[in-house]
Amino acid sequence: MDFNVKRLAADAGTLFSRAVQFTEEKLGQAEKTELDAHLENLLCRAESTKQNTERILKQTEVLLQPNPNVRIEEFLYEKLEKKVPSRMNNHETLGQSMIESGNEFGPGTAYGNALIKCGETEKQIGGAEREFIQSAAVNFLTPFRNFLEGDYKTILKERKLLQVKRLDLDAAKTRLKKARVGDARAVAEQDLRMSQSEFDRQAEITRLLLEGVSSTHAHHLRCLNDFVEAQTIYYAQSYQYMVDLQKQLGSFPSTFSSNNNQSAGCSGGASISVPTIAVSASLPSPSAGRGSTGFSELRSSSGSRKARVLYDYDAAGSSELSLLADEVIMVSSVPGMDSDWLMGERGSQKGKVPITYLELLN
């Protein structure tokens, strides 16, 4: 019992000495032991690493999930250790809307078919984005969080303990200066030697931890390389998806012109200025390879011609013929048939085919 009381009294005395030392330092009434320049530089570098890691982490999270409400929701699920509900990203949502609209207009129509192809591509990009986000979260965000929540907190803890040991050391120096009697001075000198030893030991521990920040930089550099590689793969996949889609949409030249005419007809007489948009050279011009005069000649005759199928077409009914891209079929005109359609023939199979999916051969 007496031992515990004495220990509590000693602890209270130590806390009081620290408080007095801290106050006098703030008031400029007491000397303060300065850390060596190398340790100060290490402390500054650790603080800079912490601040910049937080900044990069925050902005990366914004990049991967721009919606702040969703970020908060994901943070709460993570803290509650619950699985985040699966949801479609923006590309997947757009793709789904396009596919549904394309099916409503009809896969057999040029516009409906184009919407479906665009929707499928948007969903592919959405899938690539999902893989990129997952890779970035595991290989980039997680190591950064681990540093902030693990290594840096340990550094912060040891740094605070170093500050405590420094206050004890300076308080011991002050007591030694004030000691006049021989016995009191001997006790003060012993306290000073002990405080100096503890301070030096804690300074060494803190220094070793701070020097470990160099390893953190090297690790974060590897994580940065992984992040750039994931981004490269994502953008390369997205670019390839869009190039493939552009090639498919390049088979719709007559549709573009007919849509412009329909827009003018649906405007209720209002004058609408349609801007001219430069089209990539990789896309065929409206008249390139199409032979529009050839279709007119074919409709005015009773003969048949060979035609190459430009891209896949799924028949919407039994009266139509399904097509495969790059196959060659025979086509002919039937009296009374809509001008946008021809009669297609593949062996014993026969049915209507849209001319926008065909290229007449010489």
Side-chain angles (χ1 to χ4, degrees), residues 23 33 49-50 83 88 115 143 159 228 293 325 330 342 344:
T23 303
T33 299
T49 301
K50 177 251 187 183
K83 185 178 180 181
M88 291 194 297
L115 277 173
R159 181 179 180 178
V228 171
T293 56
M330 298 298 296
L342 290 173

Side-chain angles (χ1 to χ4, degrees), residues 89-100 112-130 234-249 252:
N89 56 35
N90 291 335
H91 284 291
E92 291 170 330
T93 302
L94 173 60
Q96 186 63 33
S97 298
M98 285 182 167
I99 291 173
E100 291 173 358
N113 189 276
L115 277 173
I116 292 174
K117 290 184 181 298
C118 288
E120 290 171 347
T121 300
E122 290 294 339
K123 294 186 79 170
Q124 284 180 311
I125 294 175
E129 180 185 358
R130 191 180 296 278
Y234 166 54
Y235 289 129
Q237 287 179 331
S238 299
Y239 174 75
Q240 189 59 52
Y241 291 147
M242 295 309 296
V243 167
D244 294 342
L245 175 63
Q246 188 182 43
K247 290 179 181 178
Q248 295 180 60
L249 295 185
F252 285 86

Side-chain angles (χ1 to χ4, degrees), residues 185-338:
R185 190 169 183 82
V187 172
E189 289 176 348
Q190 184 178 357
D191 289 344
L192 178 59
R193 285 193 296 271
M194 185 179 298
S195 297
Q196 184 70 59
S197 175
E198 291 180 356
F199 171 77
D200 291 342
R201 178 176 175 275
Q202 185 58 37
E204 181 64 15
I205 293 173
T206 306
R207 183 185 64 79
L208 292 173
L209 285 172
L210 291 172
E211 288 177 344
V213 173
S214 296
S215 299
T216 299
H217 286 188
H219 183 211
H220 286 182
L221 175 58
R222 291 192 295 271
C223 295
L224 183 61
N225 287 330
D226 292 340
F227 178 71
V228 171
E229 182 180 357
Q231 263 191 319
T232 303
I233 293 173
Y234 166 54
Y235 289 129
Q237 287 179 331
S238 299
Y239 174 75
Q240 189 59 52
Y241 291 147
M242 295 309 296
V243 167
D244 294 342
L245 175 63
Q246 188 182 43
K247 290 179 181 178
Q248 295 180 60
L249 295 185
S251 304
F252 285 86
S254 62
T255 305
F256 295 148
S257 59
S258 65
N259 282 348
N260 289 338
N261 294 334
Q262 290 174 8
S263 298
C266 296
S267 62
S271 176
I272 300 177
S273 176
V274 180
T276 302
I277 302 175
V279 181
S280 170
S282 62
L283 292 177
S285 62
S287 60
R290 180 53 61 113
S292 57
T293 56
F295 285 111
S296 299
E297 292 174 358
L298 181 61
R299 280 193 291 268
S300 61
S301 68
S302 58
S304 61
R305 292 267 303 267
K306 286 184 178 181
R308 183 176 67 86
V309 178
L310 297 173
Y311 47 90
D312 295 349
Y313 172 74
D314 293 326
S318 58
S319 63
E320 299 179 10
L321 180 65
S322 294
L323 303 174
L324 294 175
D326 294 326
E327 71 170 325
V328 177
I329 64 172
M330 298 298 296
V331 292
S332 58
S333 178
V334 176
M337 183 177 290
D338 190 286

Side-chain angles (χ1 to χ4, degrees), residues 172-189:
K173 290 179 180 179
T174 301
R175 287 196 299 271
L176 179 60
K177 288 180 181 180
K178 294 179 180 180
R180 302 301 180 195
V181 183
D183 292 342
R185 190 169 183 82
V187 172
E189 289 176 348

